[in-house]
Amino acid sequence: MVNRAVLAHRLFTGLSRSHLACLVEELAEPWQARVEGRRHAARGGARKRAAGAGASHQLVFVDRLVATLIHLRHDLPHSVLGLLFGVDRSTVTRAIGEVRTLLAERGCAVPDRPGLRLRTLTDVFAYAQAEGVELRLDATEIQVRRPPASRGGRRAFVSGKKKQNTMKATVIADWRGRTLWTDALRPGRMHDATAARNEGIAVCFRHFPDVEVLLDDGYLGLSRDHRGQAITPPRKPRPGALPGRVEQWERDRHGHSSDRITVEHALADHKRWKQLTRWTHRRDRLPDTYRAIASLVSDRTATT
C-alpha cells in the first residue's frame, strides 16, 4: 500500500497542498451531511446508537477526495486506485461518485472574490455587468464512446466537424482566460449557437444589455440577433474592395482574435486533465466530470 502523503502530491492530484486543504475544509461537511441523510433514509428515522458507534469508513473523506482527484487527473482505473488505497474497487467507485458530484456543484470561482461562486449563466452575466467584464465564449468537443447499435439516437453524437462521436461543452472565460462557467454538455451534432441558446443566453442578453461577449464565426446567428452584445469577427470585404479596406479588415480580425484567444487558453487548461482528452466511460457521467474539473481549474486561476 502506497504512502498517503505521496498520493496527495501535486503530481498525482494536480493541486497544491494548500488548495487540497481548502477543498477538504469546504467539502467535508457537505459530504458528511449527505452520508447521514442516506443513513437516515435507510433506517427510516433517527439513529438509535450514539454518534460514532458502528463500523468506520474504510476510506476516510480525505482519501476519497484524493482518489477522485487522481482519477480525474490521470484517469486511473478504479481497480488500480483500490489497490493503492488498500480497499475494494467498489469502495473507490462509490467514493468517486460522491465526491465528483460535490465538486461539480461548487461552480466556478470569482476572480478576487473569495467565497463567491458562479453556478449559472445568469450568475455570469450579472457578475459581468456589475464588474464591467467583457466575456469570451466558445465550445469544445470531447470524443465519447459510440452508442450501441441497438440504441436510438446514435446520430445525435456524430460531430459534423470532427466526424466522431462527441459531446460538446460551452465555456465562458474572462479577459485573462479564467474559467467562469460551463454548461451541461450537449450531443456533438448540435450546433454551437444552438447549444448556447438552449442554455438561455438570449434571455441573459435581454436582461443584461451592457454585457459584451466575444465569439467566433460559429456564432454569427447570435451576432445578428444581439447586435452590439454578441461580437463576432468582422466580415471579409467583397472581391474588388479597396486595398485600404482589406488591410483594415485584417487588422480588425487580428485584434478580435487576440482578444478572444483567452477562452482557448481556458479550454486548454481543462484538456490537461486526462479524462477530458477522450472520454471512455458512461456518457451520462461526463457533464459532472467536466463541471468538476472546471471548478478546480477556476480555483487555481482565480487569483492570477
Side-chain angles (χ1 to χ4, degrees):
M1 192 166 55
V2 180
N3 189 325
R4 297 292 208 271
V6 174
L7 293 177
H9 193 275
R10 184 170 191 161
L11 293 176
F12 286 98
T13 64
L15 307 180
S16 65
R17 293 192 182 275
S18 60
H19 189 179
L20 181 61
C22 291
L23 278 179
V24 172
E25 183 179 0
E26 176 186 351
L27 300 179
E29 285 190 15
W31 174 78
Q32 186 63 40
R34 294 194 178 191
V35 170
E36 293 300 330
R38 289 196 302 271
R39 289 174 175 173
H40 186 277
R43 289 191 303 262
R47 64 182 304 144
K48 299 178 181 179
R49 291 191 291 179
S56 302
H57 288 288
Q58 290 182 293
L59 209 59
V60 297
F61 176 72
V62 176
D63 289 341
R64 290 168 183 260
L65 178 59
V66 170
T68 303
L69 294 174
I70 294 175
H71 182 60
L72 295 175
R73 184 72 176 180
H74 300 287
D75 202 18
L76 286 184
H78 295 181
S79 56
V80 174
L81 290 170
L83 180 64
L84 293 175
F85 285 92
V87 296
D88 188 72
R89 179 199 59 78
S90 61
T91 302
V92 173
T93 300
R94 287 193 300 272
I96 290 176
E98 295 167 359
V99 177
R100 178 174 53 207
T101 302
L102 290 174
L103 291 172
E105 293 174 351
R106 297 174 69 230
C108 294
V110 180
D112 305 320
R113 297 289 189 276
L116 294 181
R117 316 288 297 189
L118 303 176
R119 294 180 174 83
T120 66
L121 190 59
T122 303
D123 292 344
V124 178
F125 271 71
Y127 160 73
Q129 179 153 303
E131 300 292 333
V133 176
E134 188 179 51
L135 303 176
R136 280 85 170 145
L137 183 147
D138 201 2
T140 185
E141 295 185 67
I142 303 167
Q143 186 178 354
V144 297
R145 295 166 64 181
R146 188 179 184 185
S150 58
R151 186 170 300 173
R154 300 178 79 203
R155 293 184 60 190
F157 293 93
V158 180
S159 168
K161 179 180 179 180
K162 292 184 174 292
K163 310 302 181 185
Q164 296 174 337
N165 287 267
T166 65
M167 291 187 71
K168 180 173 296 182
T170 303
V171 175
I172 292 181
D174 66 2
W175 62 282
R176 297 186 67 177
R178 297 174 292 202
T179 302
L180 300 179
W181 174 80
T182 183
D183 68 340
L185 274 70
R186 308 283 180 173
R189 192 178 185 86
M190 182 177 293
H191 195 277
D192 294 357
T194 303
R197 287 193 181 98
N198 288 347
E199 289 296 326
I201 196 169
V203 177
C204 291
F205 276 131
R206 187 164 61 250
H207 284 86
F208 302 97
D210 297 331
V211 177
E212 296 181 353
V213 183
L214 298 185
L215 307 161
D216 62 15
D217 285 328
Y219 296 90
L220 291 177
L222 287 178
S223 178
R224 288 191 298 266
D225 296 341
H226 308 281
R227 295 190 182 280
Q229 290 185 273
I231 304 172
T232 54
R235 308 313 302 153
K236 185 175 182 180
R238 294 179 180 275
L242 295 175
R245 174 71 183 87
V246 176
E247 292 176 2
Q248 182 63 44
W249 167 75
E250 290 177 347
R251 287 193 295 269
D252 292 345
R253 189 173 183 86
H254 183 270
H256 182 277
S257 178
S258 297
D259 291 339
R260 200 193 62 83
I261 196 65
T262 56
V263 70
E264 303 286 355
H265 296 161
L267 297 176
D269 285 340
H270 302 167
K271 295 295 182 72
R272 291 193 178 99
W273 294 68
K274 189 174 180 181
Q275 285 210 333
L276 298 185
T277 57
R278 185 175 185 274
W279 183 253
T280 58
H281 311 284
R282 290 175 51 177
R283 290 187 305 279
D284 58 352
R285 293 175 181 168
L286 179 55
D288 274 355
T289 298
Y290 200 107
R291 285 194 292 263
I293 291 174
S295 76
L296 295 171
V297 171
S298 73
D299 287 341
R300 296 189 304 172
T301 58
T303 57
T304 59

